[in-house]
Amino acid sequence: MSTKYAVLFFDTFPQAVAQKNKILAACGECDQLNVVIQAEGNMDDPALLDIDPKVKVFAGKAWSLIHRRRVEAGWY
């Protein structure tokens, strides 16, 4: 059985937190939801990680670039 990954992109942490319901809904369709935030910040932010155990947070320009390339490559 393979793991199904999904991704959501946000510019800032407050923007991601404001979309809590969208994040929670997306968790229902995957095994792991990667929440990617363009801004630098705390990737252990409980405001996001406590939404669902499936949520993993990646922050900063480098992580954003990596995950956008994964989208382009069909990884998600």
Side-chain angles (χ1 to χ4, degrees), residues 23-63:
I23 292 170
L24 187 58
C27 286
E29 300 179 20
C30 63
D31 299 308
Q32 178 175 317
L33 177 65
N34 294 334
V35 174
V36 181
I37 302 169
Q38 179 77 20
E40 296 290 338
N42 180 10
M43 292 190 285
D44 294 321
D45 185 343
L48 294 171
L49 294 179
D50 289 348
I51 294 171
D52 190 282
K54 295 178 181 180
V55 172
K56 306 297 180 214
V57 177
F58 298 89
K61 290 182 181 180
W63 279 114

Side-chain angles (χ1 to χ4, degrees), residues 8-32:
L8 290 175
F9 291 95
F10 300 97
D11 292 329
T12 66
F13 276 80
Q15 182 188 47
V17 172
Q19 295 293 317
K20 189 176 189 175
N21 289 338
K22 181 178 181 177
I23 292 170
L24 187 58
C27 286
E29 300 179 20
C30 63
D31 299 308
Q32 178 175 317

Side-chain angles (χ1 to χ4, degrees), residues 66-76:
I66 289 166
H67 287 276
R68 289 194 188 281
R69 286 183 176 167
R70 287 180 177 175
V71 168
E72 292 169 4
W75 196 79
Y76 288 107

